[in-house]
Amino acid sequence: MAAPYAGQYVTPGRFGGKVAVVTGAAQGIGQKVAERIGAEGGAVVLVDRADLVHDVARGIDQAAKVSGSGGSATSVTADLETFAGATRAVKTALAAHGRVDVLVNNVGGTIWARPYQEYDEDKIEKEIRRSLFPTLWTCRAVLPTMMEQGSGTIVNVSSVATRGMHRVPYAAAKGGVNALTQSLAMEVAGRGIRVVATAPGGTEAPPRKVKRGPEAESATEKDWYQTIVDQTVESSFMKRYGTLDEQAAPIVFLASDEASYLTGSILPVAGGDLG
């Protein structure tokens, strides 16, 4: 069973009475965000395509009962690269709680690292589908509910890799997330809905439990990946990767009522790298 959230910074009760859907919640940034919202009193619906998400949800639920935070967690597996999967996720939240106050779109990530001319057609399409479509679909799936409520917050997780080496298709997908964030924010502000984003830089994390793609095998492939690492550190003023807690904290702030006058904003969280 996953360990309860153990970050330094928790604001008790900040999400009391709120229902938050967090995608990509089985590991990494998504898991940290879900754990923190649960520790701050929110009812969290965790979504992932991996069954591991159920263990994370049970850990959050157990921790909430022990701490008395008021939080709770449920989980659902869904393929968010499809509209059917996104609709399933939102329907699960509505069936459990009757509303959705917060959506955190965290699904995405580089699958392959290589110069653009080394990507074939299939790899380009898979990168775009992995890092753009889950956010497009889940935003579309949740909007009718938020519009009916006249309230809601969507936090998209983008990337500073919109300017970066050896992942052009991923950069294009995250550029799409940025455009979606700003355009949708303008469109729905009058309906009481905020749409914001963070743009993480390099982030230290445990080895992924479910891999996005194959490991680099050849010396050339390893060099291509090392170029990403070197460029990420060099582009950061602080010359280091961030931590999962350092990425989760601004996401949770933007999702909270404390950020009520922020919409259409894309916050770089990359030690000074603006992407």
Side-chain angles (χ1 to χ4, degrees):
M1 182 173 292
Y5 179 75
Q8 289 178 281
Y9 310 110
V10 173
T11 304
R14 181 160 57 165
F15 286 90
K18 300 281 189 181
V19 178
V21 175
V22 181
T23 74
Q27 57 190 327
I29 293 172
Q31 178 179 345
K32 283 291 182 182
V33 169
E35 288 172 345
R36 179 148 174 188
I37 291 175
E40 297 190 3
V44 193
V45 179
L46 294 80
V47 187
D48 205 285
R49 63 183 179 180
D51 288 337
L52 293 166
V53 73
H54 303 308
D55 291 335
V56 177
R58 283 191 286 269
I60 292 171
D61 219 20
Q62 183 181 53
K65 289 173 183 175
V66 170
S67 68
S69 71
S72 66
T74 56
S75 54
V76 57
T77 54
D79 180 3
L80 298 181
E81 292 180 21
T82 69
F83 185 55
T87 300
R88 170 178 163 81
V90 172
K91 284 184 175 179
T92 298
L94 293 176
H97 303 289
R99 61 184 294 115
V100 177
D101 300 295
V102 173
L103 167 64
V104 178
N105 281 314
N106 175 64
V107 172
T110 305
I111 304 173
W112 293 279
R114 58 194 58 217
Y116 189 46
Q117 71 271 16
E118 300 292 338
Y119 281 91
D120 59 32
E121 180 181 0
D122 180 63
K123 286 183 173 61
I124 291 169
E125 289 189 356
K126 284 181 177 177
E127 292 277 10
I128 298 296
R129 185 159 294 281
R130 180 62 178 158
S131 289
L132 176 58
F133 274 87
T135 299
L136 280 170
W137 290 141
T138 314
C139 283
R140 173 60 184 83
V142 83
L143 276 178
T145 293
M146 289 187 171
M147 286 182 170
E148 184 177 349
Q149 294 169 185
S151 64
T153 300
I154 297 172
V155 184
N156 297 324
V157 180
S158 180
S159 174
V160 295
T162 49
R163 184 183 65 188
M165 297 287 289
H166 289 179
R167 41 187 171 169
V168 167
Y170 172 71
K174 289 302 190 179
V177 170
N178 291 348
L180 165 65
T181 298
Q182 293 174 319
S183 183
L184 186 59
M186 181 178 289
E187 192 170 299
V188 300
R191 306 296 294 270
I193 301 167
R194 296 189 302 111
V195 187
V196 289
T198 67
T203 305
E204 294 284 359
R208 289 184 60 84
K209 299 168 188 173
V210 179
K211 303 294 185 184
R212 293 194 188 105
E215 297 284 352
E217 294 181 356
S218 70
T220 298
E221 288 174 328
K222 290 176 182 177
D223 285 345
W224 286 340
Y225 184 79
Q226 188 62 42
T227 297
I228 289 180
V229 175
D230 294 344
Q231 179 257 301
T232 298
V233 173
E234 181 59 30
S235 296
S236 167
F237 294 176
M238 299 175 78
K239 305 303 180 195
R240 66 172 177 86
Y241 271 35
T243 68
L244 290 174
D245 284 326
E246 286 174 322
Q247 296 297 344
I251 293 169
V252 172
F253 164 69
L254 288 174
S256 76
D257 290 342
E258 294 179 59
S260 59
Y261 196 49
L262 287 171
T263 196
S265 301
I266 301 165
L267 175 64
V269 187
D273 185 2
L274 300 180

